[in-house]
Structure formats: C-alpha cells, structure tokens
Amino acid sequence: MSLEVTVGICAYNEDRNIGRLLDNILNLQELPEKSEVLIVCSGCSDDTVAIVQRYSKQDLWVRAFVESERKGKASAVNYILNNARGNAIIFVSADTLPRIGCFSRLLSKLRLPNVGIVCGHPVPINRSNNFVGKLVKHLWEFHDHTFEQLNDAGLARHATEVFCIRKGIVEKIPPDTVNDDAYLALVAKKKGWLIKYETNSRVSICGPQTFSDYFKQRRRILFGHYQVRGITGESPQHLIFLFPLYPVRVSKLILWFCKEYGLLNFLTFLLVELGVDAAATLDFILGRDHTKWSVSSSTKNVAN
C-alpha cells in the first residue's frame, strides 16, 4: 500500500507547544514525500493562530483552517476527515511531542492487511514522587500493558494521543462526540478492521499535575466512554466495560497491576476510578455536555 499522509492536529489555545510540535513533525518525523500537516485552530484566543499561519506561509506542507468560534473537537476532527488529501491520516494531540520514529512505526504497521487503525504509546513526563504523579504513572503504564495484551489477542478497541487511520473508514463522527479516538476505533472494529498497538511508537505527554485536573480529565473521558457506548452499542476499552466481556483476561490485568505496584496502590487507584466513574455516570444520566470541555491547564507543560 502506497501511503500519502495527512497529519491532523486539532488545536485550542496551544501556543505554548504548537511551534515545537510543528518543528518536530517537519524535521524529526520520517514522512512520505506526498504528505501534509492540516491544523484546525478552533476559537483560539492566544497566539496559536499566528504561530500556525507563520508555519503555513513558510512551508507548503502546512495547511491551516481557522474556526472563529470554538465548536468542540468533533467539529475539528470532521474537518480533517473531510479535507485530508492523504489516504492515511495521523491524528496527534496538539499538547504532545512525538519521539523520533513515532510516525514511521505507525505507518509501517498500517500497511498490514486488515489493519484500519494503529495507535501509539503515550509516555507521561510527570514526576511520580507525589500522589497525582503516581496516579498518572500507574494509569498510563497500566494503559500500555492492557493495550499490549489486547493487541496480541486482536481485541484492541481504542486509540490514543497519536494514531493513524485509513481515510474513508469513518467519514464523520457525531458533532457532540467527546472521545473521538474511541468512537473511530469502535466504528472501524464494527466494520471488520483490526486496531493495532505499536508500543515503540512513543509520544511524550504531560498528565495532570493536580488532583482536580486529574479528576476533571478522567471524568470527561469516562463520560465519553458512556457516550460512545450509547451511540455505537459497543463497549469501549475500559475495565468497567471490558470485565463482562473478558472476565478472565481482565482479572489477569488486575493481578498484573497488584504484582507490579502492590495491593494498596491498586485499591487507591480503583477507589479514585470508581469516584470518577460515579461522577461521569451522573453526567451521562443528566445529559450534561462535555463537547467544549474545560481545559486542564496543568497538562499543557509538555514543551518544558
């Protein structure tokens, strides 16, 4: 399969990192010759638009689309799905920095037959010497281990902060979708495509650094999982949803967590997740809207 690539970025007030990200993509990632970077700047009130437009004037690979009003990430994702010139789209979060080889490893696995989406491995840069830092560390290392186990069994059903998808598998996502990556993966899986995980395709992220930001971010994500399950009828990739489907496999994942970090850390992590789930469930029942979510400001320090 010959790949022409569109790198899609959805940006809202990302002037602290967007320049570093574009430098990374243009200079450090090995992309095919016929590639482009398509950035949707949505209702930005900082210098994001000015930075992106400067890059678009200097480099023919870079295209910018500016929404004067913030419409939510789903609107930006749909613009990229509809306007990408490439036959493969790499979605990367605007507040991340891919490591060298990240994109090429994703694209290599996308060439395999029946593979519709390939997900990368988010690695938090947070210090893990405090309570929130430990939560972030445990969350993402458990996330990585779970993906590896489901990947080997052909059961992965999610995407991450960086992933590539064949253009045309999904043409549009619902306008109020919160977890675009989960929706895209579940729809692709329902159509018979495999979702693969590439653990060596790494992207640096900054997890929440305060408990309020951690709780707020996890609450939105779990709300998004309930929303996606309601839309697609499929269970997203979270233990709450996976346990009824694969009780033995999920039990092994929990045992791995306990062995790796200890029972007390698992119980603490579980208690926090149950609290987050209760809040997300209430949001879903009450029909609350997370389309234009409140930004967790402590996650915006990856460039530092």
Side-chain angles (χ1 to χ4, degrees):
M1 176 185 179
S2 177
L3 294 178
E4 298 178 4
V5 178
T6 293
V7 179
I9 305 170
C10 307
Y12 168 66
N13 286 355
E14 296 288 356
D15 63 357
R16 280 187 281 178
N17 190 62
I18 195 68
R20 288 276 301 275
L21 175 60
L22 289 172
D23 284 337
N24 177 294
I25 294 169
L26 296 171
N27 299 315
L28 299 180
Q29 302 302 321
E30 298 175 0
L31 288 168
E33 184 176 345
K34 293 183 179 180
S35 298
E36 65 169 347
V37 183
L38 179 55
I39 309 138
V40 178
C41 302
S42 182
C44 298
S45 58
D46 63 358
D47 291 331
T48 299
V49 172
I51 294 169
V52 168
Q53 288 180 336
R54 184 167 69 245
Y55 276 84
S56 68
K57 290 176 182 177
Q58 295 172 351
D59 199 308
L60 295 176
W61 277 30
V62 180
R63 287 199 292 145
F65 175 71
V66 179
E67 292 181 331
S68 58
E69 176 189 352
R70 187 186 180 197
K71 298 179 181 179
K73 189 177 180 183
S75 173
V77 169
N78 281 334
Y79 183 86
I80 293 168
L81 289 172
N82 293 329
N83 292 277
R85 295 169 180 163
N87 57 7
I89 305 173
I90 297 176
F91 282 98
V92 59
S93 296
D95 55 358
T96 68
L97 284 176
R99 300 188 183 181
I100 294 175
C102 175
F103 288 2
S104 60
R105 290 186 174 99
L106 294 177
L107 295 170
S108 177
K109 191 159 283 188
L110 191 70
R111 290 185 171 92
L112 298 175
N114 301 321
V115 173
I117 294 178
V118 185
C119 316
H121 176 182
V123 181
I125 62 171
N126 300 58
R127 296 174 180 173
S128 57
N129 58 354
N130 57 41
F131 178 67
V132 176
K134 287 179 180 178
L135 282 176
V136 171
K137 171 185 169 65
H138 294 162
L139 173 69
W140 285 106
E141 291 190 358
F142 188 53
H143 179 275
D144 176 51
H145 182 73
T146 299
F147 247 119
E148 286 183 331
Q149 299 305 306
L150 296 178
N151 182 58
D152 292 343
L155 299 174
R157 49 178 62 220
H158 205 331
T160 59
E161 271 63 19
V162 60
F163 66 93
C164 60
I165 180 172
R166 295 175 189 255
K167 186 179 180 182
I169 291 180
V170 183
E171 296 181 356
K172 185 179 181 180
I173 69 176
D176 60 345
T177 304
V178 173
N179 290 359
D180 56 286
D181 50 355
Y183 179 86
L184 290 168
L186 285 173
V187 171
K189 195 163 185 66
K190 287 183 73 171
K191 291 183 176 181
W193 293 97
L194 289 174
I195 316 300
K196 302 302 287 184
Y197 180 60
E198 177 51 70
T199 189
N200 292 315
S201 178
R202 303 192 173 199
V203 58
S204 295
I205 65 170
C206 183
Q209 298 180 70
T210 66
F211 185 76
S212 61
D213 273 358
Y214 182 91
F215 194 94
K216 178 168 62 175
Q217 186 182 75
R218 293 296 296 157
R219 179 178 184 172
R220 168 177 55 82
I221 290 170
L222 285 187
F223 169 87
H225 283 337
Y226 281 109
Q227 182 191 55
V228 167
R229 187 176 68 167
I231 296 170
T232 66
E234 296 284 335
S235 297
Q237 188 171 301
H238 188 276
L239 293 190
I240 292 170
F241 303 105
L242 291 180
F243 189 77
L245 298 176
Y246 317 114
V248 175
R249 192 174 295 276
V250 171
S251 297
K252 288 181 179 180
L253 290 171
I254 292 172
L255 287 174
W256 175 87
F257 190 109
C258 293
K259 182 179 179 181
E260 195 75 13
Y261 303 117
L263 179 60
L264 181 60
N265 280 324
F266 171 72
L267 293 175
T268 302
F269 180 79
L270 179 63
L271 183 63
V272 173
E273 282 293 291
L274 290 175
V276 170
D277 181 65
T281 302
L282 184 62
D283 288 347
F284 185 72
I285 291 172
L286 296 177
R288 288 177 178 158
D289 185 9
H290 286 269
T291 306
K292 302 176 187 178
W293 61 77
S294 173
V295 174
S296 299
S297 58
S298 69
T299 67
K300 301 301 179 182
N301 295 320
V302 69
N304 296 325

